[in-house]
């Protein structure tokens, strides 16, 4: 018997001495404030607790080590410490999705006990066992330093009452319970009679499945059922655009990647379900996989899908690029290569599905609950109205939670057993299963005249989309549409091809093709400057997009173009740096390309002091719920504490996928629409008289044009809005990136604290993309499925960040706002590459550039 104290109370444990403290805390003691981000990899720090006065990772702390010790979790911190951390992180912007923060709080508490007044460098080094994918760490460090000041003084800083209006630094909605781990994520949820599910994955990237034998698995103690492809009652394939991704691969069918699911084991504990999944025996006829673009496109290559191995070809053409290039005085031609990237959100995929009276409630972390509902209903063979998908704000998404992944298997298991089922992926399973950032090969030929004016671009872009379509065709479409970056190029000929292989699928990730294209374009611009002896800042200014000029697709920009304003904002920093690189960026707001962007909302007056905002967007750390509150506060004058926010399909407030940096723009416009009637009634009758009333709002953009479509003389409109940026990377005399300066045109900064946090987090991701991050594949499988091997930068690796807000109002955005969720990392790799060349004269055309930050 192992005896110890948990938060001051005597506890005892009679189980396996080698079992982990994390699993005991979460599975047996019900302590869900301690999060599981990667167990047992010990890479992320989310599971940190205090044991015997030291901060330890509970996922690799054996229960035998706990004997006689005091274990303290977030709930065991002194009330003064809980309050200090909560207030500091909420008001300092130190938490976005918040999944990493409870563990960081425990580390910070341990640090401050030993060193009450640490330096920023000491805090950064103290966080070396922790990852954050959202913040860029700067505001986390700020928050820890501020909490330390409060604890030393014994007095909380004075806070100015918040109006909640647009433009103020309103703390994130629901962030205070998140700081101490008290806001549940999907994996923290439970239900009466809960069963657990686990998946059996393919052993090979390409193999014919001859037999799936579940008999041994089904006979194990505690196992409720084992499901196979034959168990799917409705549509057997899913997909956001192309339905080509099987729910499970069945006997006689062929696997296409190592993340294909062959069986689902359901049991009364997670450990038993995982054991049963491992016990499923599969016989294969192993086939040669197609693991590269060249393999997949080779004559006679086997077809991975019925229509062949080319998923899509996207084009951006205007003028005569070949003729224009022939007339150029300077031409640069090169091949650029980018890499596969793991999203590395701290919260692995999880889903809880709960059946009741023929209906199904699905608790999802997805980036699109209405799309979840549509696909789940089709898979189950039921009407959409019988499925209610409830969003549980997630622990990071960045595009990686757009596809229907674990939701399909949890829903299927729940309906098959008639009981609630929860499915949580391990970190290794997550890395094997979910889509990544595309590796692109970009063949660029860019030319200009002696006058320093760009004349033509000819480019061929190739992307490995992996086993299934996901949104790969749209990523390549976006790469073509952003191929000229923030510049006007009169003649353009670009083709971007997405190709099926047997690698892990690639789909949406922050930047969505614009990052890759901008890296190539910005490097090419610098090379032209070197050829012609042009000033790098002036060349960019002279060629920058302005009102009246067109993008690569031929869209004429008519307002809100902020490239030059961003260049002006960074000019001084660029000029005074010894080794500096410069890059601009453009990123669409809204999916466009002939697809509608829309949002519906509802304001429900629940009580005289409570109004609920209902919308369809996913809160994943970016702050869409906070912005929603701020818009309604601005329109009505009501205080922010009156509002709650929720997203679930039963509210019939649909939106599309939370993607394309569009949530703020669309939900803002829809809420302004809803507030027209609400504020009129509010002024005439007062809030108490409106209890029970509901107010609907809607905003739709349905006028964008399909790529290369005949517009019958009407102007091309690829997207209804864009955001713009300019960034400077500064390299010190040792060749390290010492400073990043980022000027970003947000149109209107809705919340300065959230804006800064989004850009700082983007810079962290962009710098890792430039220098260290990669998910190399071998034989159709990642060389490593460990989070620590993905190259994500730690706090001590981050340089100084300077964020500059630029506001060139968008004609259609709410209060002039544009999307900022993705633009923050679009220029970064190009700026870093150009800064490194300024340092050592070496051109780098392949990512990552493999230099220490």
């Amino acid at each position: 018997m192992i005896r110890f104290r948990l938060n001051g109370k005597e506890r005892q444990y009679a189980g396996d001495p080698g079992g982990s403290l994390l699993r005991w805390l979460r599975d047996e003691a019900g302590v869900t404030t301690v999060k599981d981000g990667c167990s047992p990899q010990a890479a992320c720090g989310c599971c940190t607790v205090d044991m015997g006065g030291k901060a330890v990772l509970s996922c690799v702390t054996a229960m035998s080590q706990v004997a006689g010790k005091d274990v303290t979790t977030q709930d065991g911190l002194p009330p003064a410490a809980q309050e200090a951390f909560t207030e500091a992180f909420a008001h300092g912007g130190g938490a976005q999705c918040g999944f990493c923060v409870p563990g960081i709080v425990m580390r910070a508490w341990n640090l401050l006990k030993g060193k009450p007044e640490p330096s920023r460098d000491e805090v950064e080094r103290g966080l070396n066992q922790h990852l954050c994918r959202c913040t860029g760490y700067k505001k986390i460090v700020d928050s820890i330093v501020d909490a330390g000041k409060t604890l030393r003084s014994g007095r909380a800083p004075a806070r100015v009452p918040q109006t909640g209006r647009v433009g103020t630094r309103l703390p994130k909605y629901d962030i205070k319970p998140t700081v101490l781990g008290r806001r549940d994520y999907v994996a923290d949820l439970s239900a009466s009679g809960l069963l657990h599910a686990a998946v059996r994955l393919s052993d090979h990237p390409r193999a014919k499945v001859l037999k799936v034998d579940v008999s041994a698995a089904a006979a194990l103690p505690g196992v409720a059922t084992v499901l196979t492809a034959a168990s799917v009652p409705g549509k057997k394939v899913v997909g956001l655009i192309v339905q080509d991704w099987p729910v499970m691969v069945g006997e006689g069918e062929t696997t296409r990647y190592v993340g294909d699911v062959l069986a689902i084991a359901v049991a009364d504990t997670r450990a038993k379900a995982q054991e049963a999944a491992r016990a499923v025996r599969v016989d294969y006829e192993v086939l040669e996989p197609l693991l590269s673009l060249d393999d997949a496109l080779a004559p006679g290559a086997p077809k991975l899908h019925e229509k062949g191995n080319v998923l899509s070809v996207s084009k951006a053409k205007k003028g005569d690029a070949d003729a224009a290039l022939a007339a150029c005085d300077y031409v640069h031609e090169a091949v650029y290569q980018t890499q596969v990237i793991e999203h590395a959100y701290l919260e692995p995929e999880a889903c809880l599905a709960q059946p009741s009276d023929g209906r199904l409630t699905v608790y999802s972390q997805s980036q699109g609950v209405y799309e979840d509902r549509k696909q789940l209903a089709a898979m189950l063979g039921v009407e959409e109205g019988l499925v209610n998908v409830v969003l549980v704000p997630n622990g990071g998404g960045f595009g990686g939670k757009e596809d229907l992944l674990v939701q399909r298997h949890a829903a299927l298991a729940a309906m098959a057993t008639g009981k609630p089922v929860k499915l949580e992926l391990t970190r290794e399973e997550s890395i094997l299963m979910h889509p990544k950032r595309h590796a692109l090969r970009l063949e660029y030929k860019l030319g200009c005249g002696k006058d320093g004016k760009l004349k033509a671009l000819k480019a061929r872009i190739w992307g490995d989309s992996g086993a299934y379509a996901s949104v790969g065709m749209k990523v390549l479409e976006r790469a073509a549409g952003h191929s000229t970056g923030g510049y006007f190029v009169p003649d353009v000929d670009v083709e971007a091809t997405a190709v099926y292989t047997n690698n892990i699928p690639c789909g949406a990730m922050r930047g969505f093709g614009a990052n890759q294209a901008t890296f190539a374009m910005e490097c090419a611009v610098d090379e032209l400057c070197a050829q012609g002896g042009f000033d790098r800042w002036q060349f960019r200014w002279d060629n920058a997009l302005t009102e009246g000029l067109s993008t690569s697709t031929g869209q004429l920009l008519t307002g809100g173009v902020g490239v030059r304003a961003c260049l002006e904002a960074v000019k001084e920093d660029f000029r005074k740096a010894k080794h500096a690189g410069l890059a601009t960026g453009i990123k669409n707001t809204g999916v466009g390309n002939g697809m509608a962007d829309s949002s519906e909302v509802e304001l429900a007056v629940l009580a005289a002091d409570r109004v609920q905002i209902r919308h369809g967007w996913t809160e994943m750390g970016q702050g869409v719920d906070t912005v929603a509150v701020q818009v309604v506060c601005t329109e009505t004058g009501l205080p922010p504490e009156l509002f709650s926010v929720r997203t679930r399909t039963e509210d019939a407030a649909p939106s599309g996928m939370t993607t394309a940096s569009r949530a703020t723009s669309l939900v803002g416009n829809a809420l302004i629409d809803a507030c027209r009637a609400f504020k009129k009634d509010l002024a005439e009758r007062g809030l108490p008289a409106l209890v029970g009333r509901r107010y609907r709002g809607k905003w739709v953009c349905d006028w964008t044009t399909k790529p290369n479509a005949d517009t019958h003389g009407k102007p091309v409109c690829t997207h209804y809005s864009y955001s713009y940026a300019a960034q400077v990377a500064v390299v010190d005399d040792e060749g390290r990136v010492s400073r990043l300066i980022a000027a970003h045109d947000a149109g209107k900064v809705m919340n300065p604290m959230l804006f800064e946090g989004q850009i700082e987090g983007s810079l962290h991701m962009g710098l890792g993309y430039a220098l260290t991050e990669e998910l190399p594949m071998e034989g159709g499988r990642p060389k490593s499925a460990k989070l620590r091997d993905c190259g994500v930068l730690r706090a001590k690796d981050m340089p100084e960040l300077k964020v500059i807000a630029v506001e060139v109002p968008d004609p259609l955005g709410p209060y002039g706002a544009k999307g900022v969720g993705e633009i923050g990392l679009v220029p970064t790799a190009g700026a870093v590459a150009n800064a490194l060349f300024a340092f050592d004269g070496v051109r780098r055309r392949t990512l990552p550039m493999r230099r220490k930050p």
Side-chain angles (χ1 to χ4, degrees):
M1 186 70 69
I2 297 171
R3 292 182 172 82
F4 59 98
R5 287 168 297 281
L6 174 64
N7 295 331
K9 295 182 179 180
E10 297 289 337
R11 302 299 294 261
Q12 57 186 27
Y13 173 76
D16 177 10
S20 79
L21 174 58
L22 174 64
R23 294 270 54 91
W24 180 83
L25 286 168
R26 289 185 60 84
D27 299 343
E28 298 185 40
V31 178
T32 57
T33 55
V34 181
K35 307 303 179 185
D36 181 358
C38 70
S39 71
Q41 295 185 7
C44 71
C46 294
C47 67
T48 301
V49 300
D50 189 289
M51 187 178 80
K54 296 181 179 180
V56 301
L57 302 178
S58 62
C59 74
V60 288
T61 299
M63 290 303 295
S64 59
Q65 298 173 269
V66 180
K69 301 284 180 59
D70 282 288
V71 176
T72 303
T73 70
Q74 295 81 1
D75 289 329
L77 294 177
Q82 293 186 16
E83 181 71 10
F85 283 117
T86 296
E87 289 294 309
F89 274 83
H91 290 274
Q96 288 187 28
C97 84
F99 195 85
C100 66
V101 171
I104 287 173
V105 164
M106 297 307 299
R107 181 77 57 182
W109 167 243
N110 192 270
L111 173 67
L112 293 173
K113 284 192 300 180
K115 196 171 188 66
E117 197 170 357
S119 67
R120 291 187 65 87
D121 182 67
E122 287 171 326
V123 174
E124 288 173 351
R125 293 187 179 278
L127 293 175
N128 199 44
Q129 288 185 292
H130 294 262
L131 287 175
C132 174
R133 197 55 157 161
C134 296
T135 66
Y137 301 106
K138 300 303 182 183
K139 284 181 165 44
I140 288 177
V141 176
D142 292 343
S143 299
I144 292 171
V145 170
D146 288 348
K149 291 178 181 177
T150 298
L151 290 170
R152 289 195 309 275
S153 68
R155 298 188 306 274
R159 306 289 186 192
V160 177
Q162 292 282 346
T163 66
R165 298 190 178 193
V166 165
T168 66
R169 303 177 75 90
L170 179 70
K172 278 188 89 267
Y173 174 78
D174 206 27
I175 201 61
K176 290 187 178 181
T178 305
V179 171
L180 297 177
R182 292 169 180 164
R183 179 179 72 74
D184 286 340
Y185 298 84
V186 174
D188 302 327
L189 302 176
S190 189
S192 178
L194 181 67
L195 297 175
H196 297 262
V199 292
R200 170 66 158 92
L201 300 182
S202 174
D203 298 290
H204 307 282
R206 183 167 177 256
K208 185 176 181 180
V209 177
L210 303 178
K211 184 175 179 57
V212 179
D213 183 357
V214 304
S215 58
L220 291 172
V223 174
T225 189
V226 182
L227 306 174
T228 65
S231 308
V232 180
K235 195 168 185 179
K236 298 183 183 298
V237 290
V238 297
L240 289 170
I241 301 171
V242 178
Q243 285 70 54
D244 63 356
W245 197 329
V247 176
M248 285 185 278
V249 176
E251 292 179 351
E253 298 175 340
T254 300
T255 67
R256 294 186 179 92
Y257 85 118
V258 293
D260 272 327
V261 176
L262 307 183
I264 308 165
V266 186
D268 56 12
T269 70
R270 187 183 182 208
K272 290 177 182 177
Q274 290 171 331
E275 181 186 3
R278 290 191 294 269
V280 174
R281 299 167 185 164
V282 184
D283 294 333
Y284 303 92
E285 177 190 340
V286 179
L287 304 172
E288 188 70 24
L290 304 180
L291 302 177
S292 70
L293 293 169
D294 292 339
D295 288 345
L297 296 173
K303 291 184 177 182
L304 300 183
H305 290 270
E306 185 179 350
K307 293 184 178 180
N309 296 339
V310 174
L311 170 61
S312 65
V313 178
S314 300
K315 299 179 181 181
K317 293 192 177 186
K318 59 177 182 175
D320 187 339
D322 287 328
L325 284 166
C328 286
D329 297 299
Y330 303 103
V331 175
H332 165 69
E333 187 170 7
V335 177
Y336 298 88
Q337 180 66 55
T338 69
Q339 76 280 39
V340 173
I341 289 289
E342 161 63 28
H343 294 72
Y345 31 71
L346 272 293
E347 177 204 26
E349 291 82 355
C351 181
L352 189 153
Q354 189 165 12
S356 177
D357 299 326
R359 304 176 67 86
L360 184 68
T361 300
V362 179
Y363 296 90
S364 175
Q365 55 182 207
S366 162
Q367 289 182 228
V369 294
Y370 286 89
E371 186 61 41
D372 277 11
R373 180 181 68 176
K374 176 183 175 181
Q375 293 189 74
L376 289 173
M379 179 194 74
L380 296 171
V382 301
E383 296 293 327
E384 284 190 32
L386 296 177
V387 180
N388 177 33
V389 183
V390 177
L391 174 71
V392 181
N394 69 38
F398 314 112
K401 291 175 180 172
E402 289 190 17
D403 296 271
L404 194 74
L405 206 68
V406 293
Q407 305 96 306
R408 50 188 169 159
H409 304 122
L412 185 63
M415 293 301 278
T417 61
K419 294 183 178 180
V421 175
K422 183 165 65 174
L423 172 54
E424 307 170 57
L425 294 187
T426 65
R427 177 58 64 175
E428 180 178 358
E429 289 169 338
S430 172
I431 289 175
L432 290 175
M433 290 178 70
H434 79 79
K436 315 302 177 193
R437 185 190 295 285
H438 282 75
L440 297 189
R441 184 172 77 216
L442 305 105
E443 302 168 1
Y444 260 54
K445 189 174 183 180
L446 183 68
C448 70
K450 290 181 180 178
D451 59 356
K453 286 298 188 76
L454 290 168
K455 293 185 179 298
L457 170 68
K458 185 170 185 177
R460 296 295 181 263
I461 304 171
W462 305 85
D464 181 347
S465 273
Y468 300 111
S470 182
V471 292
M473 60 179 59
K474 291 297 178 181
V475 172
L476 271 294
E477 179 182 88
R478 211 70 80 244
H482 289 69
S483 56
T484 53
Y487 308 108
F488 170 62
V489 181
D491 294 88
V492 173
D493 179 358
V494 178
E495 290 186 5
T497 304
V499 180
Y500 284 120
T501 68
N502 289 118
N503 290 318
I504 295 174
C506 286
M509 188 174 179
R510 197 179 204 173
F512 207 87
N515 319 44
Q516 296 96 316
T518 301
F519 168 63
M521 183 66 183
E522 286 295 339
C523 289
V525 164
D526 249 35
E527 298 212 37
L528 280 182
C529 288
Q531 283 188 38
F534 304 118
D535 178 89
R536 292 183 290 158
W537 185 90
Q538 191 64 48
F539 186 93
R540 286 173 167 84
W541 169 271
D542 291 342
N543 288 284
L545 287 166
T546 61
E547 285 83 355
L549 298 179
S550 62
T551 67
S552 64
T553 66
Q555 178 176 354
L556 206 65
L557 300 176
T558 57
V561 186
V563 183
R564 284 186 168 176
C566 291
L567 282 167
E568 284 285 358
V570 301
K571 182 177 182 179
E572 182 180 351
D573 287 294
F574 177 67
R575 293 292 192 206
K576 69 183 182 183
K578 182 179 178 181
H579 310 301
L582 177 63
T584 69
I586 178 175
K587 181 66 180 69
N588 58 292
T589 299
V591 294
N593 285 283
M595 299 176 66
D597 289 285
S598 66
S599 178
E600 296 185 35
V601 298
E602 182 175 85
L603 300 174
V605 184
L606 304 180
D609 60 353
R610 188 178 171 211
V611 179
Q612 189 168 77
I613 301 170
R614 299 168 178 174
H615 63 70
W617 303 98
T618 294
E619 173 58 60
M620 50 188 171
Q622 84 281 37
V624 65
D625 285 349
T626 312
V627 168
V629 170
Q630 290 186 269
V631 169
V632 183
C633 287
T634 301
E635 292 298 307
T636 65
L638 294 173
E641 56 268 21
L642 262 62
F643 296 99
S644 62
V645 187
R646 79 179 193 186
T647 298
R648 53 183 60 181
T649 58
E650 68 181 6
D651 291 335
S655 70
M657 193 66 62
T658 306
T659 188
S661 301
R662 62 183 181 161
T664 288
S665 179
L666 290 169
V667 81
N669 280 333
L671 285 168
I672 290 170
D673 183 44
C675 283
R676 290 187 177 98
F678 179 41
K679 63 185 178 183
K680 180 177 181 293
D681 287 353
L682 190 64
E684 293 176 354
R685 302 173 59 191
L687 191 59
L690 303 181
V691 173
R693 295 289 303 273
R694 297 180 182 184
Y695 298 86
R696 304 280 302 184
K698 186 175 183 178
W699 195 82
V700 180
C701 168
D702 56 5
W703 59 82
T704 62
T705 50
K706 293 181 179 180
N708 309 118
D710 184 354
T711 62
H712 303 288
K714 294 181 180 178
V716 171
C717 179
T718 309
H719 300 285
Y720 75 86
S721 175
Y722 293 90
S723 51
Y724 306 91
Q727 291 184 5
V728 172
V730 178
V731 171
D732 64 20
D733 288 337
E734 295 181 352
R736 293 177 179 267
V737 178
S738 60
R739 197 166 184 239
L740 291 174
I741 302 97
H744 285 262
D745 173 21
K748 170 65 180 178
V749 176
M750 304 288 274
N751 182 316
M753 182 169 65
L754 301 190
F755 169 78
E756 294 158 6
Q758 282 291 289
I759 302 303
E760 289 171 357
S762 296
L763 291 172
H764 166 261
M765 191 176 285
L767 187 60
Y769 183 49
L771 297 177
T772 60
E773 290 192 41
E774 187 174 19
L775 189 72
M777 305 284 291
E778 188 172 66
R781 182 180 294 273
K783 288 184 177 180
S784 172
K786 293 182 178 179
L787 187 59
R788 68 172 63 253
D789 293 334
C790 293
V792 179
L793 299 175
R794 307 270 172 171
K796 65 180 178 58
D797 301 323
M798 287 300 292
E800 177 189 348
L801 305 180
K802 178 181 178 181
V803 176
I804 304 169
V806 174
E807 294 181 309
V808 181
D810 185 83
L812 296 173
Y815 315 107
K818 305 166 182 173
V820 298
E822 297 174 275
I823 184 67
L825 56 72
V826 169
T828 312
V832 171
N834 292 336
L836 289 171
F837 176 80
F839 167 70
D840 62 12
V842 176
R843 293 290 182 194
R844 296 165 175 85
R845 299 181 181 126
T846 299
L847 297 181
M849 290 177 273
R850 301 195 182 283
R851 291 183 66 93
K852 291 184 178 180

